[in-house]
Amino acid sequence: MLLANNISFYRNNNIIFKDVSLALPPQKIINITGANGIGKTTLLKILTHVLIPKKGNIFWNGKNIKKNLFNYYKDVTFVMDKQTSNINLSVIENIFFWKKLFSSIISKKEIDAILDLLSLDNYRNTPINYLSNGEIKKLELTRLVIERKKLWMLDEPYIGLDIETINLLNETFINHTKSGGMIIFSSHYVPDIPNIENLQLENYAQR
Amino acid sequence: MHSVNPILALFYRELKISYRNFSDILSILMFFLLGILIFVFSIGPNTEIFNEIGIGVIWTLILLSNNLSLRKFYQNDFNDGSIILLHMSGLSYELIVLIKIMIIWIFLQLPFFIIIPLAAILLNIELPNVNLILISFLIGSPILTSIASISGSMNLLNQRNFAIGSVIIMILSIPIIIFSVGIINASEEIVRAQLQILIGILFFFLAITPWVSAACIKLAIQNK
């Protein structure tokens, strides 16, 4: 369970948001919504302790993440708004790098199946800089399955995806929550998934 | 807390990327050799002068070529956010810095062991002195890589003023130049003392670089 208590964030003495609290029990999804520049990405980065809030604490399974950072990271997958695949490496090399980096037990067959499902199997040995934006985003999303962690955090996961992949992603979300996982993501698009809760950041902004 | 897997994974990835960008390494070596040639042309065909200043010329150009590797350290990983990913896999920033220094040293400094004797031939430097250059380079090059790491991490957010990174490298490198060039001109009794001072500087930089660079990276991530 992820708990955030009264998080406030300032940038150059300007309040971005104030006193955001959230609770994310297992089998639940939170969708952070709000206008551009309201701080959706910032909130996700705070929840992963990439940015440090001015006030407030975040707890994972009852422990403050500040003191148990690496234990917390063992349970989190963070898909950023940027692509983290290296442009000099090919699709399969990036996947194997992630597999080894996160000591994943995913098998070669499963990787083949995922690539097939995302119709990336023709580009296995293509370097990332020849892929389109959507394909890079799809590759980024494979990390969710490779890392196999409980808590998924996604920043704008739907950008650049085709309808087929959006449906596939929604299906993956549903399966993940069914098996006890938690998801928190930011998006302007509100998908039709059970157990989803909207967090409107506009309510916390002070302009 | 750590397992070995992420370290090996990062090591392997860096090796692969460096191998893919092998032309970068070649161009840095070319820069070094061409720099030496330009010195040869501008001073003229006086072998005695070369014997005196040759070592200084070689070390100056090593320093200048070191500047070229500055942006290779963290810039790409920082821009695409993969440095955060590496951190989330359980590697502390300090460890990431250490691994990066090792890889960059292997790929950008080791080739100089082949090219320095070549440059020494061009400058007509005597053989015993070539040995001394190689020894001082063996100790001095990790220091240069550490300095480049510090400068590279300081300039992560700096997208406009590219010269300042090189300026930082130059300032920090002055002691290394003094002691490594000093070895050759020193009398035999002091050579050992000079080498020991150089080794001292090496350990100092190896000790502080991970912390300094990691602090700079953290600051840059906070302020992005």
Side-chain angles (χ1 to χ4, degrees), chain B:
Chain B
M1 189 169 70
H2 297 302
S3 77
V4 192
N5 266 346
I7 300 175
L8 289 179
L10 176 59
F11 212 87
Y12 187 60
R13 181 184 88 138
E14 293 300 315
L15 274 178
K16 234 176 195 167
I17 294 171
S18 300
Y19 178 71
R20 291 277 150 83
N21 297 332
F22 201 71
S23 57
D24 282 355
I25 299 160
L26 282 182
S27 50
I28 288 177
L29 292 177
M30 285 287 276
F31 174 85
F32 176 76
L33 269 186
L34 284 176
I36 299 264
L37 277 178
I38 283 170
F39 260 103
V40 173
F41 291 139
S42 58
I43 289 170
N46 192 335
T47 44
E48 264 174 39
I49 294 178
F50 284 133
N51 231 333
E52 267 176 39
I53 66 161
I55 290 140
V57 169
I58 286 179
W59 260 101
T60 311
L61 276 154
I62 288 172
L63 197 82
L64 291 177
S65 355
N66 188 44
N67 280 336
L68 301 177
S69 70
L70 174 64
R71 297 255 148 198
K72 284 195 179 38
F73 266 90
Y74 312 106
Q75 198 71 53
N76 287 339
D77 286 345
F78 178 73
N79 287 346
D80 65 16
S82 44
I83 203 154
I84 295 171
L85 201 68
L86 294 176
H87 184 50
M88 290 187 84
S89 76
L91 297 172
S92 61
Y93 289 117
E94 288 82 4
L95 204 58
I96 297 172
V97 170
L98 258 184
I99 295 171
K100 285 264 182 189
I101 290 176
M102 262 195 258
I103 289 285
I104 300 259
W105 185 78
I106 288 170
F107 266 87
L108 290 176
Q109 307 281 23
L110 272 188
F112 277 94
F113 280 100
I114 305 165
I115 214 95
I116 285 174
L118 215 69
I121 294 170
L122 279 176
L123 292 172
N124 199 19
I125 295 170
E126 288 157 6
L127 198 63
N129 282 348
V130 177
N131 285 339
L132 275 178
I133 299 178
L134 287 178
I135 290 171
S136 63
F137 181 69
L138 182 68
I139 305 168
S141 54
I143 311 177
L144 291 178
T145 317
S146 305
I147 292 171
S149 159
I150 291 176
S151 175
S153 56
M154 276 178 174
N155 286 291
L156 282 175
L157 286 177
N158 170 9
Q159 299 294 342
R160 282 162 294 164
N161 188 350
F162 288 101
I164 189 78
S166 307
V167 171
I168 293 170
I169 289 190
M170 293 291 198
I171 293 170
L172 290 174
S173 307
I174 290 171
I176 302 153
I177 286 287
I178 292 172
F179 287 108
S180 44
V181 176
I183 287 172
I184 285 93
N185 299 328
S187 58
E188 292 214 355
E189 310 97 65
I190 331 177
V191 167
R192 226 175 136 170
Q194 296 250 20
L195 275 177
Q196 277 162 352
I197 291 174
L198 209 57
I199 292 173
I201 298 175
L202 168 66
F203 284 145
F204 174 73
F205 270 103
L206 281 186
I208 65 160
T209 308
W211 313 107
V212 175
S213 281
C216 292
I217 293 169
K218 281 178 206 164
L219 258 182
I221 287 172
Q222 292 290 311
N223 288 301
K224 199 182 180 186

Side-chain angles (χ1 to χ4, degrees), chain A residues 146-160:
Chain A
I146 295 171
E147 293 185 28
R148 302 223 163 138
K149 299 190 178 161
K150 258 193 207 143
L151 173 61
W152 291 359
M153 297 213 188
L154 304 103
D155 199 351
E156 304 275 5
Y158 295 105
I159 279 187

